[in-house]
Amino acid sequence: MNNFPTASADSFTDPDDFDNNPSHNSHLQDVMAAHIGRRQVLRSGVGALATVGLGGFGLTACGGGDDAPAPLLPPVLGFTAVSKDLVDRVTVPAGYTATVLYATGDSIDPAVTDYQNNGSDSNFARRSGDQHDGMHYFGLTTDGQATLNSNSRALMAINHEAINGTVQFMHPNGQTNISSSAGPRPEAEALKEVEAHGASVIEISKTAGIFGVVKASTFNRRVTPRTPMVFSGPAKGSALLKTKYSPTGIATRGMIGNCASGYTPWGTYLTCEENFAGFFRRGSADDALRTAKERTAFKRIGLAQGAGGGQRWATVVPADSTNTEYARWDASVLGASTDGTDDFRNTHNTFGWVVEIDPYNPASTPVKHTALGRFAHEGAWPSNPVVGQPLAWYMGDDSRSEYVYKYVSNALWSAADANPADRLATGAKYLDNGTLYAAKFNADGTGTWLKLDLSNSAISGNTAYAFSDLADVLVNARLAADAAGATKCDRPEWTAVNPRNGEIYITMTENPDRGNVGSTSSNNVPNPDVDPAFPRYWLDNKGVSTQNATASVSKGDVNGQIMRIRETGNFAASATFNWDIYLFASQATADIGLDNVNYQANVNLSGLTAVNDLSKPDGCWFSKASGILWIETDDNAYTDVSNCMLLAAVPGSYGDGGKITVVNQANGKPGTAGTGPVSVDTYAGKKMNDTIFKRFLTAPLGSEVTGVAESPDGKALFINIQHPGENTAAANIGDPTKFESHWPGNGAGVTAYGPGGSTARPRSATVMITKNDGGVIGL
């Protein structure tokens, strides 16, 4: 999700933002799988997903088929859309109020001082971390027990993804010794930076209709890269996970790069490690000390020999010489052992997992569930649980040309597990024994889930990388998906499951490499061509409101799309599915040239207008209270026109559009040099209009909108504003007039929050949105 800029002179891009996929997997134009009849899929109906609460966090259902009840009516969006905005503020529709709830540096402990706005704050183990991301609302009864129904007291679990682009504001004068030619990083600075990652669990309570953080709550907790954790599932104890910290490979320290999230029906939080490779150092001669398999695995995650590690934590010389806190950020072979138990050569393998946290038990040890695979996890969203059927979690791997994954439990969902005495033991039941799959999107609108284990001959017989066991497959899930033949996607990010019909939505944020055939990505991987699932290639002009080939600054799949899939028979464990493209992101005028001629009718395929045009959909999330699909953007392609935004959509259902033909001009405009038009047949959802898709919020300068949660009644919506002001140069830290953003201290669009006012240092924050008449958000 995060583009991983750094404020140092030695800036770098995170390896996960590049295309690290060298496989020759099909891009669909040569794939025609057996057609699954649409009637067969639609006859399954939504009845199998009709859910009834059973108390606690459990949902169950029965029935289906021709006796299925009619689906709920679609939501009606009842607000006036906000306009695009380039001001350093939050904007919400008339009749709504935005209130900051929890911002970077906020104390969650009465013994820890309030945020000072000068970089002097320490002890981030008891403060809000930076760059708020995925989150989830966990209700609390008045006596502190779990409930689905509390609208006045809850625990909020919130990810803190990264510090890049905002880290300069964490220190009085920015970072010290961040250049690769400088000396060791100061331990105090590095400790603060490490602890600013991870997640928060905070209690919130409503007073006079407004939620606030309960600073003295015993539930308040920070989970950081220093928090002890354990592995579970098939890779637990694997040689690939052995380190000096855990010679048996059963434990690790902390989590990092926590981006999107998920939850479980038994009331735990799933937080997902995304961009992890860029944190690690590797020596300039380390390849010679590695096996061929290790070199292949390193290349596949983008951790190259000679990598310096983004924040250079490995250079810290700790005051306590026995402290290995910083040595573990060096993934080089440094010890004499043959298995890595005397150094941290395997430390990178201990990151990139889905982590389960019990928010109701602050003393519990988080668990990394290896059965769900290791890659740049964007999230892990569950299927609608049905008693007597397996559970599934849907996951994206956020990098160009990576894959969509699904994990299916062996255990069948039991209503008795909705309110367990031991939530993490229940997690082991469902999350440690199951099967990981990768998606193959066929050219005819069908799809196949490809099994990622050694029973798949494409994996067990793979010669490019010889998998030794299931642990090897899961640690190197990307390589396994390569071997299986999964479809390369355009940065698959958030997944969301429609609670009303079980259909799965997947944001595909962008891919400038798409369609640029004959050239290679930054890692010398051949660029993917357009294909039915990713049918668009065009030129985009930042700084110019309409198309003009000579002014182009970007090309490919510039603005991204949202895919929708429907499991065959509405069965989460199905091996097949159908797909269409719910939304093609685009600026409204993308097809029109400077001379007002329609040159390329292949971009704004969803019929977007000024009320709802957008770029780079990143987050997507369904409200159970209203049925609205909320869509968030993380954009740098359309920011000459608008800051990032939150939009509300009426989701529709699979098949509500039809087959279309996209004609891609080789250079985005006829009559220019190139290979000529490329036509692609694809499957699109119905076109949008101003009543079913509207812009609800715009964000401050430099920020993205991410993370969504709500109170059960839908009357409080929570979103995160991440990294406002991230484009502020580190050299300007001493001059507030040069900060890109001063939000939320400037009180723009919200009540002024924290010290600093118009000269405040920008801070990521969780924002609560309420309707002035007390109604459900968006209706």
Side-chain angles (χ1 to χ4, degrees):
M1 178 179 292
N2 191 284
N3 287 326
F4 229 93
T6 176
S8 74
D10 289 20
S11 63
F12 74 104
T13 301
D14 187 85
D16 281 324
D17 280 335
F18 292 140
D19 186 341
N20 295 300
N21 188 347
S23 72
H24 298 288
N25 290 356
S26 169
H27 298 292
L28 301 186
Q29 59 266 39
D30 298 320
V31 179
M32 292 296 291
H35 183 67
I36 299 172
R38 181 175 173 221
R39 182 180 180 188
Q40 174 191 352
V41 174
L42 296 180
R43 272 179 59 86
S44 300
V46 297
L49 297 169
T51 55
V52 291
L54 291 180
F57 285 83
L59 298 173
T60 186
C62 59
D66 292 333
D67 296 326
L72 295 172
L73 293 175
V76 176
L77 304 182
F79 62 92
T80 300
V82 302
S83 300
K84 294 185 282 282
D85 197 355
L86 287 170
V87 180
D88 186 30
R89 64 187 178 191
V90 165
T91 60
V92 293
Y96 287 83
T97 298
T99 305
V100 175
L101 178 72
Y102 183 61
T104 298
D106 278 356
S107 168
I108 60 170
D109 187 330
V112 175
T113 59
D114 290 335
Y115 174 77
Q116 298 298 304
N117 188 49
N118 58 16
S120 65
D121 307 297
S122 59
N123 193 6
F124 270 72
R126 298 297 289 167
R127 294 184 183 276
S128 168
D130 201 2
Q131 295 195 16
H132 303 42
D133 209 302
M135 62 180 168
H136 198 74
Y137 179 106
F138 294 91
L140 277 174
T141 62
T142 55
D143 60 349
Q145 302 301 308
T147 177
L148 279 174
N149 302 315
S150 175
N151 295 300
S152 59
R153 186 185 182 197
L155 300 178
M156 190 72 77
I158 304 168
N159 287 352
H160 301 292
E161 181 187 8
I163 59 175
N164 303 283
T166 55
V167 66
Q168 61 267 35
F169 300 112
M170 293 181 63
H171 306 298
N173 300 300
Q175 290 178 294
T176 304
N177 290 352
I178 191 61
S179 169
S180 61
S181 60
R185 292 291 317 284
E187 184 174 9
E189 283 187 11
L191 176 62
K192 184 188 296 190
E193 292 166 13
V194 170
E195 289 181 339
H197 292 80
S200 293
V201 178
I202 55 170
E203 182 179 342
I204 61 174
S205 182
K206 188 179 287 185
T207 301
I210 300 295
F211 278 104
V213 175
V214 182
K215 189 173 180 179
S217 173
T218 57
F219 287 108
N220 290 349
R221 180 184 188 186
R222 282 296 320 287
V223 181
T224 78
R226 305 181 70 212
T227 303
M229 299 185 179
V230 295
F231 289 108
S232 66
K236 177 181 178 180
S238 166
L240 295 170
L241 300 180
K242 292 182 177 180
T243 64
K244 188 174 182 178
Y245 176 79
S246 179
T248 58
I250 64 173
T252 188
R253 265 179 301 198
M255 60 189 191
I256 205 157
N258 296 78
C259 198
S261 57
Y263 71 99
T264 70
W266 52 92
T268 58
Y269 184 56
L270 299 181
T271 176
C272 304
E273 298 178 295
E274 186 203 17
N275 289 328
F276 61 90
F279 290 97
F280 297 99
R281 177 187 182 275
R282 275 191 73 207
S284 59
D286 194 53
D287 274 354
L289 304 175
R290 299 292 190 162
T291 65
K293 283 184 64 174
E294 286 179 299
R295 292 193 295 271
T296 298
F298 272 124
K299 186 175 182 179
R300 194 61 183 84
I301 65 165
L303 181 48
Q305 175 178 268
Q311 308 303 335
R312 302 187 69 239
W313 294 332
T315 67
V316 172
V317 179
D320 179 359
S321 60
T322 66
N323 180 7
T324 60
E325 169 67 41
Y326 306 102
R328 67 182 172 127
W329 302 106
D330 192 333
S332 309
V333 174
L334 299 174
S337 70
T338 59
D339 60 0
T341 54
D342 60 350
D343 60 18
F344 292 95
R345 71 189 70 172
N346 295 322
T347 186
H348 56 291
N349 289 333
T350 66
F351 295 92
W353 301 100
V354 173
V355 184
E356 185 181 18
I357 297 171
D358 183 352
Y360 297 101
N361 183 0
S364 60
T365 300
V367 180
K368 294 196 174 188
H369 288 285
T370 63
L372 279 71
R374 171 177 164 268
F375 43 88
H377 280 277
E378 258 298 334
W381 205 257
S383 60
N384 292 335
V386 179
V387 166
Q389 294 186 14
L391 300 175
W393 278 264
Y394 298 91
M395 302 170 284
D397 183 352
D398 181 13
S399 192
R400 298 176 193 170
S401 296
E402 291 303 339
Y403 306 123
V404 173
Y405 295 84
K406 175 175 77 169
Y407 167 82
V408 179
S409 68
N410 288 346
L412 306 182
W413 176 240
S414 169
D417 289 329
N419 239 334
D422 187 336
R423 293 181 182 84
L424 294 180
T426 303
K429 173 181 176 180
Y430 291 100
L431 296 175
D432 288 347
N433 297 287
T435 304
L436 185 66
Y437 298 86
K440 184 176 184 178
F441 295 92
N442 299 321
D444 64 350
T446 66
T448 305
W449 291 109
L450 306 171
K451 185 181 290 189
L452 302 185
D453 63 24
L454 294 175
S455 71
N456 184 337
S457 60
I459 294 176
S460 59
N462 186 50
T463 57
Y465 182 94
F467 296 95
S468 57
D469 54 21
L470 181 57
D472 197 359
V473 170
L474 296 169
V475 169
N476 294 292
R478 283 180 171 177
L479 288 168
D482 293 346
T487 297
K488 293 182 177 183
C489 300
D490 289 355
R491 287 188 66 179
E493 299 214 29
W494 283 45
T495 56
V497 176
N498 189 335
R500 297 187 176 185
N501 66 10
E503 293 176 351
I504 302 98
Y505 289 64
I506 309 159
T507 54
M508 304 286 184
T509 297
E510 53 84 35
N511 189 353
D513 297 336
R514 176 68 63 180
N516 291 301
V517 292
S519 58
T520 57
S521 70
S522 302
N523 290 319
N524 296 315
V525 175
N527 289 334
D529 202 353
V530 291
D531 62 36
F534 301 95
R536 294 183 301 167
Y537 164 96
W538 74 100
L539 301 179
D540 181 79
N541 308 297
K542 189 172 182 179
V544 179
S545 61
T546 51
Q547 293 291 321
N548 178 346
T550 62
S552 176
V553 296
S554 189
K555 57 187 177 181
D557 181 9
V558 181
N559 302 131
Q561 63 189 44
I562 299 178
M563 299 197 73
R564 176 171 56 192
I565 68 176
R566 184 179 179 92
E567 297 277 25
T568 302
N570 271 337
F571 181 48
S574 176
T576 56
F577 58 89
N578 284 62
W579 64 267
D580 62 11
I581 299 173
Y582 167 71
L583 173 69
F584 294 93
S586 167
Q587 66 183 74
T589 57
D591 295 323
I592 308 299
L594 292 175
D595 50 6
N596 292 319
V597 175
N598 190 321
Y599 280 116
Q600 44 186 63
N602 65 315
V603 184
N604 188 9
L605 297 174
S606 292
L608 304 183
T609 70
V611 166
N612 52 32
D613 59 345
L614 74 160
S615 174
K616 298 190 178 182
D618 186 311
C620 62
W621 184 90
F622 279 96
S623 166
K624 291 183 178 178
S626 68
I628 291 173
L629 171 62
W630 294 100
I631 298 170
E632 302 168 313
T633 69
D634 175 14
D635 184 35
N636 59 4
Y638 201 26
T639 47
D640 56 315
V641 176
S642 178
N643 297 342
C644 288
M645 58 189 74
L646 172 72
L647 303 100
V650 177
S653 59
Y654 163 76
D656 57 13
K659 187 175 182 179
I660 63 172
T661 299
V662 181
V663 181
N664 294 283
Q665 300 297 334
N667 285 287
K669 184 175 179 180
T672 57
T675 59
V678 177
S679 296
V680 182
D681 289 339
T682 190
Y683 300 86
K686 70 178 179 181
K687 287 196 174 185
M688 298 295 174
N689 60 53
D690 295 353
T691 63
I692 64 171
F693 190 36
K694 298 183 184 183
R695 187 177 302 105
F696 183 84
L697 173 149
T698 58
L701 290 168
S703 68
E704 65 175 284
V705 186
T706 185
V708 198
E710 70 180 355
S711 57
D713 59 9
K715 296 182 179 181
L717 184 74
F718 304 89
I719 57 99
N720 285 322
I721 300 296
Q722 188 184 88
H723 57 67
E726 72 164 348
N727 298 304
T728 303
N732 293 331
I733 187 63
D735 185 355
T737 66
K738 295 181 179 179
F739 294 175
E740 181 187 25
S741 173
H742 298 284
W743 189 90
N746 62 4
V750 295
T751 302
Y753 189 85
S758 62
T759 63
R761 297 185 176 206
R763 305 162 69 189
S764 298
T766 300
V767 175
M768 177 185 66
I769 301 167
T770 52
K771 198 172 182 180
N772 296 347
D773 65 6
V776 175
I777 307 300
L779 301 183

